[in-house]
Amino acid sequence: MEMVYCRPDTLTDTPFHYCPGCGHSVVHRVLMEVVEELGIQDKTIGVAPVGCSVFAYHYMNVDMQEAAHGRASAVATGIKRVLPDRYVFSYQGDGDLAAIGTAETIHTVNRGENILMVFINNGIYGMTGGQMAPTSLLGQVTTTSPYGRDVKMVGHPIKIADLLIHLPGAYYVTRQAVHNPNAVRKLKKAFEKSFQYQKEGKGTCFVEVVSNCPSGWRMTPVESIKYLEETMFPAYPLGDLKVPEKV
Ligand SMILES: Cc1ncc(C[n+]2csc(CCOP(=O)(O)OP(=O)(O)O)c2C)c(N)n1
Ligand code: SF4
């Protein structure tokens, strides 16, 4: 019988703890599928964040290192510099990468560290109960913005990928999603390209995934996909933001 679907060896047998419908689990799967298909499982090192994906090291069957909140790209920098032949990625949420870790994010990309940074933007602090993140949308109701995000009080949503493209160290910056099969296929390509560029020593590859948080958003998984399509994507348009110049 032909095998059409199976769990990749790059994922452990540990069941995900994520809420039903959460994008984290799909991104884990896509990332690890790419690692398996490229045959780089023994050469890949991931850095897990603080946030809902803090247990990424339980699920991803590659060498993993935990980092303090916001510091994943700094830790990934150290690992890559000591072990330059490894494929190194960091995996962070928006509270981690675009709030407490903003300095590390900007300086890592500015240095052009030869790593892949995976950025899960679900517009909220999922793990801690749905507080406003720097990426929360204007008017978005969260536990810390019960009347909706107010621009006068807390400013505009930070489009961190849009900022990073101006740094020369950013080699490839793209914004993707996992809300349907076509989006998953595109994300897979983005990860494939990022590992290829890393092999070629090109600099920082930054892959944002605009994702959902049904629990933090107080929605069913189906409602959260609708919210992604109708509200999140207009604010965070999908597609490439910076692609390598063709030689
Ligand atoms: C130094 C420090 N400050 C604050 C916290 C509390 N904290 C844990 S996770 C988190 C935010 C996580 O949000 P995000 O990065 O968006 O990830 P998500 O849970 O949504 O995937 C915060 C503020 C912490 N653990 N350590
Ligand atoms: S709280 Fe949100 S981000 Fe965290 S696992 Fe649940 S749905 Fe996912």
Side-chain angles (χ1 to χ4, degrees):
M1 195 189 297
E2 190 197 355
M3 173 79 77
V4 289
Y5 180 87
C6 71
R7 195 176 177 88
D9 283 343
T10 41
L11 282 176
T12 66
D13 287 336
T14 312
F16 291 137
H17 74 283
Y18 299 115
C19 307
C22 175
H24 273 305
S25 34
V26 185
V27 182
H28 281 22
R29 159 99 200 194
V30 174
L31 182 60
M32 287 300 107
E33 268 183 8
V34 171
V35 168
E36 181 175 66
E37 284 164 18
L38 293 178
I40 57 173
Q41 182 175 11
D42 294 344
K43 287 188 146 195
T44 300
I45 305 174
V47 182
V50 172
C52 277
S53 48
V54 65
F55 293 136
Y57 50 77
H58 281 325
Y59 311 132
M60 298 186 184
N61 198 6
V62 295
D63 285 331
M64 295 290 291
Q65 173 65 49
E66 179 56 71
H69 200 18
R71 315 308 183 226
S73 67
V75 172
T77 295
I79 292 171
K80 183 70 182 182
R81 287 186 178 206
V82 172
L83 300 168
D85 64 325
R86 304 298 206 283
Y87 295 87
V88 178
F89 69 87
S90 57
Y91 184 105
Q92 297 175 265
D94 43 352
D96 197 74
L97 180 143
I100 195 169
T102 310
E104 282 75 9
T105 300
I106 288 175
H107 288 289
T108 299
V109 179
N110 191 48
R111 294 190 304 267
E113 297 295 342
N114 191 30
I115 61 170
L116 161 64
M117 296 174 70
V118 181
F119 171 43
I120 310 300
N121 176 9
N122 58 18
I124 210 160
Y125 288 8
M127 183 195 212
T128 43
Q131 294 86 0
M132 189 182 67
T135 50
S136 299
L137 302 179
L138 291 181
Q140 186 174 338
V141 173
T142 71
T143 52
T144 48
S145 58
Y147 304 111
R149 180 178 182 147
D150 176 4
V151 67
K152 285 197 184 125
M153 184 82 86
V154 291
H156 291 270
I158 286 185
K159 296 186 177 182
I160 197 97
D162 294 64
L163 295 176
L164 295 176
I165 59 173
H166 301 289
L167 301 174
Y171 189 71
Y172 171 54
V173 180
T174 190
R175 188 181 285 124
Q176 301 293 336
V178 288
H179 63 300
N180 64 32
N182 197 30
V184 166
R185 276 191 285 273
K186 287 184 180 167
L187 177 64
K188 208 165 169 180
K189 283 264 171 269
F191 285 150
E192 285 166 5
K193 280 191 214 171
S194 299
F195 283 124
Q196 181 58 36
Y197 295 146
Q198 189 170 147
K199 187 177 179 186
E200 295 166 6
K202 299 292 191 186
T204 313
C205 293
F206 188 92
V207 177
E208 173 175 347
V209 183
V210 185
S211 191
N212 60 344
C213 175
S215 299
W217 294 357
R218 310 290 190 261
M219 293 178 191
T220 65
V222 172
E223 286 166 352
S224 76
I225 298 297
K226 201 161 176 262
Y227 183 80
L228 270 175
E229 291 174 334
E230 293 178 357
T231 311
M232 287 285 276
F233 296 156
Y236 296 104
L238 304 184
D240 291 336
L241 283 87
K242 187 171 188 178
V243 289
E245 282 166 10
K246 291 207 166 58
V247 194

